[in-house]
Amino acid sequence: MSPRVSRVTKRTIFDRLGPLFARTDVRRTYRFSRPTLHFGASEYRAIREIVRSGWVSNGDHVRRLEQHFIDRFGVKHAIACSNCTQGLVIAVRAAGLAGARVALPAFTWPSTLYALLLNHCTPVWADIDPETWLIDLGSVRARYDAVLAVDTFGNEAAVRTRAPVIYDAAHGYALPRLGRRGLAEVVSLSFTKLPTAGEGGMILTNDSALAREATELRRLSARMLEMAGVIGLNSVAHYEETYLKKLQVTERYRKLLRAGFREQAVPRASNHSVFAIRLDTPAVRDRIHAALSDRGFETKVYYDPLAVGLPNTDYVYNRLLALPTYPQMMGKVRQICDIINRAARGRGVGDKRAR
């Protein structure tokens, strides 16, 4: 059966984003995401010099950040953008896919779809694998001209098809094959990502013609600020140490969680950008989510499917809960796990029987 979806417009995306952000209480004691910065005197001097010079975008710091991606991932071209969403819009246009029928997973952040709509593309919905949560092209029965695959939560996607492929690598930094997949890949450097530039995106491609077009489109609409370049260079320089601390938080969750759950299967590689657990039932997930929220811990119930009627997508989404894993959360993991374990048994965090 084909997935059911109402007429998809830019308004549809905003309608979906509204409730998602509404669930984020800025007064929350412990946020889901928090950037880890290692600023020192040199970074503050660099920012003061940017302000003094008046050259605030696409300068030396942005070029050095682009060169970092070229050197680290062995890709021919890296084009820094104001954000990953604009990077995806530009990549689709520069690849000559405007107006195409493009297969994409419904289990993704709305920006993936937004990039297609701005290029007048027709979305062709794909289901996901129930264990890896990655796009399953075998589920697509309709014709498509290209594919927009997603590295879901940092799990490396690898699509086999003769059609052109662009990778939404928003969560893809440091994946082993980054820089060597498809026509282009677009990495996010938003404040929720590791590494971060505060806000930003990076288009990676080995296609020189695509790179020239993307560079011009970036110049017209999506230049990265030099301040973002400073933050990004600092963040990539400290990536390994911050990443190891993040993994330690994740491992502590694994040791202390007693509720029945499944983790995302990794067929190739993952950078564990997001630690999400799939609970046994939607009711258990919702109970845990509410209990953590009541105690001031922000978690994420996402991705809200962009189309309904895809069985694996609906099944995974209705049971998924993403937990905060930034290094500053290490001291709170035991408390979070206690709340989860009690809520999973149907006991409130204040229930005397659970003490």
Side-chain angles (χ1 to χ4, degrees):
M1 182 178 67
S2 299
R4 301 185 306 279
V5 62
S6 58
R7 183 172 179 269
V8 182
T9 65
K10 284 174 275 191
R11 180 73 256 164
T12 308
I13 296 176
F14 299 142
D15 290 341
R16 289 182 179 278
L17 283 174
L20 196 153
F21 289 129
R23 291 196 292 266
T24 302
D25 186 348
V26 297
R27 300 167 297 175
R28 190 77 68 210
T29 305
Y30 301 101
R31 302 296 303 275
F32 176 72
S33 297
R34 178 178 171 182
T36 301
L37 303 178
H38 302 266
F39 261 40
S42 62
E43 284 78 20
Y44 288 111
R45 278 197 305 271
I47 289 177
R48 284 196 297 269
E49 177 57 27
I50 290 167
V51 175
R52 187 200 64 76
S53 72
W55 194 278
V56 297
S57 69
N58 274 19
D60 181 61
H61 297 94
V62 171
R63 284 193 293 271
R64 286 169 53 200
L65 186 59
E66 290 173 333
Q67 192 62 46
H68 162 81
F69 276 81
I70 291 170
D71 293 343
R72 173 155 185 168
F73 301 111
V75 67
K76 286 180 65 175
H77 306 281
I79 302 107
C81 301
S82 55
N83 55 62
C84 185
T85 302
Q86 281 301 109
L88 286 169
V89 173
I90 289 170
V92 172
R93 177 62 59 90
L97 297 177
R101 294 175 57 84
V102 182
L104 76 160
F107 188 67
T108 184
W109 187 252
S111 294
T112 314
L113 173 60
Y114 185 73
L116 297 182
L117 297 182
L118 285 192
N119 281 292
H120 308 290
C121 297
T122 300
V124 179
W125 300 111
D127 205 350
I128 56 172
D129 182 279
E131 304 301 327
T132 68
W133 313 340
L134 297 172
I135 187 172
D136 175 15
L137 271 185
S139 68
V140 180
R141 296 292 178 262
R143 177 183 65 82
Y144 58 88
D145 307 311
V147 179
L148 183 49
V150 180
D151 294 323
T152 308
F153 300 152
N155 203 1
E156 185 178 86
V159 175
R160 293 186 177 184
T161 177
R162 293 182 179 180
V165 182
I166 291 176
Y167 285 85
D168 180 343
H171 288 269
Y173 185 85
L175 290 175
R177 297 184 66 244
L178 189 68
R180 292 179 286 162
R181 299 177 300 169
L183 293 177
E185 301 159 278
V186 187
V187 179
S188 174
L189 296 169
S190 83
F191 76 94
T192 64
K193 305 298 190 299
L194 180 64
T196 182
E199 189 57 85
M202 193 69 69
I203 302 171
L204 307 179
T205 183
N206 292 299
D207 185 318
S208 295
L210 190 156
R212 285 193 297 272
E213 180 71 11
T215 300
E216 176 61 11
L217 291 170
R218 183 272 307 272
R219 184 186 70 82
L220 294 172
S221 64
R223 288 172 288 188
M224 178 182 279
L225 290 176
E226 276 288 275
M227 294 82 152
V230 172
I231 297 171
L233 286 167
N234 175 270
S235 189
V236 297
H238 293 273
Y239 174 79
E240 273 72 22
E241 80 177 87
T242 308
Y243 176 65
L244 288 175
K245 291 178 181 177
K246 178 183 173 76
L247 288 185
Q248 289 170 359
V249 174
T250 301
E251 187 57 34
R252 188 158 174 80
Y253 276 124
R254 293 189 179 111
K255 289 181 179 179
L256 296 177
L257 283 173
R258 299 291 178 265
F261 71 92
R262 296 285 296 273
E263 288 187 51
Q264 185 178 24
V266 179
R268 283 165 295 274
S270 176
N271 61 21
H272 308 285
S273 179
V274 173
F275 180 62
I277 56 176
R278 195 185 77 195
L279 284 307
D280 291 336
T281 68
V284 171
R285 191 276 306 275
D286 293 345
R287 194 161 63 235
I288 291 171
H289 179 54
L292 287 167
S293 180
D294 288 344
R295 294 298 293 268
F297 292 102
E298 182 186 7
T299 56
K300 289 292 185 183
V301 174
Y302 71 161
Y303 299 115
D304 190 355
L306 299 176
V308 296
L310 295 161
N312 294 339
T313 297
D314 293 340
Y315 180 89
V316 170
Y317 167 71
N318 287 326
R319 291 160 176 79
L320 216 60
L321 187 67
L323 305 176
T325 57
Y326 50 93
Q328 297 91 330
M329 289 303 297
M330 178 60 86
K332 294 296 177 181
V333 172
R334 181 175 291 277
Q335 182 182 357
I336 290 173
C337 290
D338 286 346
I339 295 169
I340 291 174
N341 295 336
R342 291 172 181 175
R345 296 195 299 269
R347 298 178 178 180
V349 295
D351 191 331
K352 293 181 179 180
R353 296 173 300 168
R355 295 183 184 276

